[in-house]
Amino acid sequence: MIVESSIRKTREMIGRWRRQGDRVGLVPTMGFYHAGHCALMDKARELADRVVVSLFVNPTQFGPSEDFTVYPRDLDGDCDKARARGVDLLFCPEVDAIYGPEDQTIVEVGPLSQGLCGAGRPGHFRGVTTVVTKLFNILDPDYAVFGEKDFQQLAVVKRLVADLHLPVQIVGHPTVREEDGLAMSSRNVYLSEDERRAALVLYRALLTVQQEAQRAGFEIPAAELREIGRKMIAAEPLCSVEYFTIIEEVSLQERDRVDSGCRVIGAMQVGSRVRLIDNLALMTLS
Amino acid sequence: MIVESSIRKTREMIGRWRRQGDRVGLVPTMGFYHAGHCALMDKARELADRVVVSLFVNPTQFGPSEDFTVYPRDLDGDCDKARARGVDLLFCPEVDAIYGPEDQTIVEVGPLSQGLCGAGRPGHFRGVTTVVTKLFNILDPDYAVFGEKDFQQLAVVKRLVADLHLPVQIVGHPTVREEDGLAMSSRNVYLSEDERRAALVLYRALLTVQQEAQRAGFEIPAAELREIGRKMIAAEPLCSVEYFTIIEEVSLQERDRVDSGCRVIGAMQVGSRVRLIDNLALMTLS
């Protein structure tokens, strides 16, 4: 596996691969790999001849009061894990290389970026779509694989690619979970033992809503399902709900009833430092 | 010459050219070709193996009170002119193909888009940078040639390409002028005979400022040069100055004195319907 920080050398290498007809699969990451990241790398391997992983903790997608400086980092461990998945190239540029001194260009997806996590994290998705556009332009992938845990991000990036006619296919991958169901996240390391136990309520709430919807043959108002989930989270003293709702998975619009392509999606605060998100399909897109 | 409106077919054709090692030069246009456009096509021909011209009157770069609907169009004449310049492919997509029904993504270059024409035409450069990003992603050129008449546009697009790491080289081409010096523009057809005569004052003001700066060995305050030009335009009853100033050509920042990379640049209204822009180098970038 090649570990490269230079944009120029990375472009040259990928250019050579592409000229010899190799298809390139990209997994954009912020590092601190867990089994979720490894599953995305495996998926990229399945789709493409060359697997490129970008490792870049992108400052512009963190708010001023968020955890950019303390976001967990472990380059050596990440290299070992990526190498073990058969990754061909780990691209880990410096911040100054991605954002030059005169940088002043932003890429923004409108309405899709504004609700859900976008409401609680203003500017977050602008940071994501700007850096993803830069990475796609540098790395020129045929495929880019994103986890469904960050479901709004996946929807926003799909919209970005369609709108800007970016020549890449976005592939979503199901959320990888701990044995007890907690969605894997680099931020789970922030959790104390008590918080880790409490954190599971989000998945349990999603699962309960999914089961209740199925039990009712989907003939149950979304408002009722929302209440079930919100009450479960509210009952957990260490957790407070940020949002918990039923959406349609392409438009991310809230729905009154459960129909094709509906998901239940939530975000909550655990203790004073950790914010977790998760989601589950209620009815697959027909 | 191939005339194509389909994005898919255009991509396929350019992909074939690129796979056989051809370099692609793009001239993005809004049509109604004059000698200025033809010079850009010749420049692209000089740089690349294949010349692609995009013809797209981009609605998002026109303000609500601007001339989108009446912007001059002449597809047949444009085809003849492009064919005569040896253009390989004229890409003329429909608006709906560039902006899909769910389109909501914008690309924006910050401070560079705000002064000069950006102040008088809010949202104009956002429309330009958004459509240029789309066109670059569809057409994948090695070079893209822009006229220096739209000097702010050229600076903004250079910034866009650097910031987003777009794999294309932006090439500026000197302004082509009518015999009497008026900068060629598709909008010149809007001018009445009297307005056409009056319109020349912008070039004469730029030229006078250039000559005064040279005569003073560049030891003359920019404020004094601005005044000379503004007074000349103000003295022309059919014209009113929108801006007229001395800028540095990369940052587009106003300058107090004439030094390396300085340009004099202006915009004025002629009669009630026509807005013209022009610029000249005062001192080349050292």
Side-chain angles (χ1 to χ4, degrees):
Chain A
M1 185 181 76
I2 298 148
V3 180
E4 185 57 71
S5 64
S6 154
I7 291 175
R8 187 181 53 78
K9 288 185 189 165
T10 297
R11 273 193 207 277
E12 282 169 10
M13 187 163 319
I14 293 173
R16 275 196 300 277
W17 291 340
R18 295 190 66 87
R19 277 192 297 279
Q20 68 193 42
D22 287 353
R23 309 272 269 173
V24 175
L26 169 67
V27 182
T29 79
M30 300 210 301
F32 211 72
Y33 298 146
H34 50 62
H37 295 103
C38 294
L40 303 183
M41 297 176 201
D42 291 348
K43 182 68 189 175
R45 165 60 59 216
E46 190 188 311
L47 293 165
D49 306 296
R50 299 286 185 170
V51 176
V52 177
V53 172
S54 62
L55 195 174
F56 183 65
V57 185
N58 173 38
T60 67
Q61 71 190 70
F62 290 81
S65 64
E66 290 182 9
D67 56 347
F68 172 64
T69 52
V70 299
Y71 193 84
R73 288 161 171 91
D74 177 16
L75 182 58
D76 289 345
D78 287 346
C79 282
D80 291 344
K81 284 170 191 149
R83 195 176 288 111
R85 309 321 292 186
V87 167
D88 295 284
L89 170 63
L90 186 71
F91 174 58
C92 44
E94 298 293 328
V95 171
D96 295 355
I98 297 295
Y99 297 96
E102 304 297 326
D103 188 281
Q104 55 185 269
T105 302
I106 57 102
V107 179
E108 193 155 28
V109 174
L112 277 186
S113 294
Q114 277 146 29
L116 306 174
C117 289
R121 306 183 70 187
H124 168 67
F125 287 111
R126 184 199 301 137
V128 169
T129 45
T130 300
V131 81
V132 163
T133 304
K134 291 175 189 247
L135 290 171
F136 286 174
N137 288 335
I138 294 166
L139 302 171
D140 195 18
D142 296 283
Y143 303 95
V145 188
F146 290 81
E148 286 184 354
K149 199 258 289 169
D150 300 277
F151 197 83
Q152 187 175 12
Q153 171 176 277
L154 176 60
V156 165
V157 169
K158 281 181 177 170
R159 190 72 258 153
L160 165 77
V161 163
D163 287 352
L164 294 188
H165 303 273
L166 283 156
V168 55
Q169 193 180 321
I170 302 302
V171 178
H173 188 278
T175 303
V176 177
R177 301 181 178 280
E178 303 286 354
E179 213 148 296
D180 63 359
L182 183 71
M184 295 226 181
S185 165
S186 302
R187 289 186 170 102
N188 289 349
V189 298
Y190 295 146
L191 296 167
S192 71
E193 214 172 301
D194 285 347
E195 288 168 347
R196 172 66 184 78
R197 258 191 302 271
L200 197 61
V201 72
L202 180 53
Y203 179 60
R204 285 198 294 109
L206 296 170
L207 211 55
T208 302
V209 163
Q210 191 187 50
Q211 288 159 350
E212 288 298 318
Q214 284 169 357
R215 209 162 58 101
F218 303 106
E219 295 301 322
I220 178 172
E224 211 169 300
L225 294 172
R226 276 198 293 273
E227 264 325 287
I228 293 169
R230 286 178 189 176
K231 274 187 184 151
M232 284 179 69
I233 297 169
E236 175 54 68
L238 286 173
C239 299
S240 61
V241 68
E242 183 181 307
Y243 64 80
F244 189 97
T245 190
I246 316 295
I247 55 152
E248 192 284 320
E249 68 180 46
V250 176
S251 68
L252 304 182
Q253 291 292 300
E254 290 206 335
R255 283 294 159 98
D256 293 333
R257 48 190 301 279
V258 180
D259 49 17
S260 163
C262 268
R263 279 197 172 241
V264 53
I265 188 166
M268 67 174 190
Q269 194 72 27
V270 188
S272 59
R273 297 176 309 151
V274 192
R275 184 181 172 280
L276 297 179
I277 58 176
D278 201 353
N279 66 91
L280 277 182
L282 288 185
M283 194 190 282
T284 50
L285 199 60
S286 62
Chain B
M1 184 182 76
I2 299 147
V3 180
E4 184 56 70
S5 65
S6 153
I7 291 176
R8 187 181 53 77
K9 287 185 191 165
T10 298
R11 274 192 207 274
E12 281 170 10
M13 188 164 317
I14 293 173
R16 275 197 299 277
W17 291 341
R18 295 190 66 87
R19 278 192 296 279
Q20 67 193 42
D22 287 353
R23 309 271 269 172
V24 175
L26 169 67
V27 182
T29 79
M30 300 210 301
F32 211 71
Y33 297 147
H34 50 62
H37 296 102
C38 294
L40 303 183
M41 297 175 200
D42 292 348
K43 182 68 190 174
R45 164 62 58 218
E46 190 188 310
L47 293 165
D49 306 296
R50 299 286 184 169
V51 176
V52 177
V53 172
S54 62
L55 194 175
F56 182 67
V57 185
N58 173 37
T60 67
Q61 71 189 70
F62 290 81
S65 63
E66 290 182 11
D67 57 346
F68 172 65
T69 51
V70 298
Y71 193 84
R73 288 162 170 91
D74 176 15
L75 182 58
D76 289 346
D78 287 347
C79 283
D80 291 344
K81 284 170 190 149
R83 195 176 288 110
R85 309 321 292 185
V87 168
D88 295 283
L89 170 64
L90 187 71
F91 174 59
C92 44
E94 297 294 328
V95 171
D96 295 355
I98 297 296
Y99 297 96
E102 304 297 327
D103 188 282
Q104 55 184 273
T105 302
I106 58 103
V107 180
E108 192 155 30
V109 175
L112 277 184
S113 295
Q114 278 146 29
L116 306 174
C117 289
R121 305 184 70 188
H124 168 66
F125 287 111
R126 184 198 303 139
V128 170
T129 45
T130 300
V131 81
V132 163
T133 304
K134 291 174 190 248
L135 291 171
F136 286 174
N137 288 335
I138 294 167
L139 302 170
D140 194 19
D142 297 284
Y143 303 96
V145 188
F146 290 81
E148 287 185 351
K149 199 260 288 170
D150 300 277
F151 197 83
Q152 186 176 11
Q153 171 176 275
L154 176 60
V156 165
V157 169
K158 281 181 177 170
R159 190 73 257 154
L160 165 77
V161 163
D163 288 352
L164 293 188
H165 303 274
L166 283 156
V168 54
Q169 193 178 322
I170 302 302
V171 178
H173 188 278
T175 302
V176 177
R177 300 181 179 282
E178 303 286 353
E179 213 149 295
D180 62 0
L182 183 72
M184 296 226 181
S185 165
S186 302
R187 290 186 169 101
N188 289 349
V189 296
Y190 295 145
L191 297 166
S192 71
E193 215 173 299
D194 286 348
E195 288 169 346
R196 172 65 184 79
R197 260 192 301 273
L200 197 61
V201 72
L202 180 52
Y203 179 61
R204 287 198 293 105
L206 296 170
L207 211 55
T208 303
V209 164
Q210 190 187 51
Q211 287 159 352
E212 288 298 319
Q214 284 168 358
R215 208 163 58 101
F218 303 105
E219 295 300 324
I220 179 171
E224 209 168 302
L225 294 172
R226 277 197 293 272
E227 264 325 287
I228 293 169
R230 286 177 189 178
K231 274 186 184 150
M232 285 179 68
I233 298 169
E236 175 55 67
L238 285 173
C239 299
S240 61
V241 67
E242 182 181 307
Y243 64 80
F244 189 96
T245 189
I246 317 294
I247 55 152
E248 192 284 321
E249 67 180 46
V250 176
S251 68
L252 304 182
Q253 290 293 301
E254 290 207 333
R255 282 295 158 96
D256 293 333
R257 47 190 302 280
V258 180
D259 49 17
S260 162
C262 268
R263 283 200 167 238
V264 53
I265 189 165
M268 66 174 190
Q269 194 72 27
V270 188
S272 59
R273 296 176 311 150
V274 193
R275 184 182 171 279
L276 297 179
I277 58 175
D278 201 353
N279 67 92
L280 277 182
L282 289 184
M283 194 190 281
T284 50
L285 198 61
S286 61

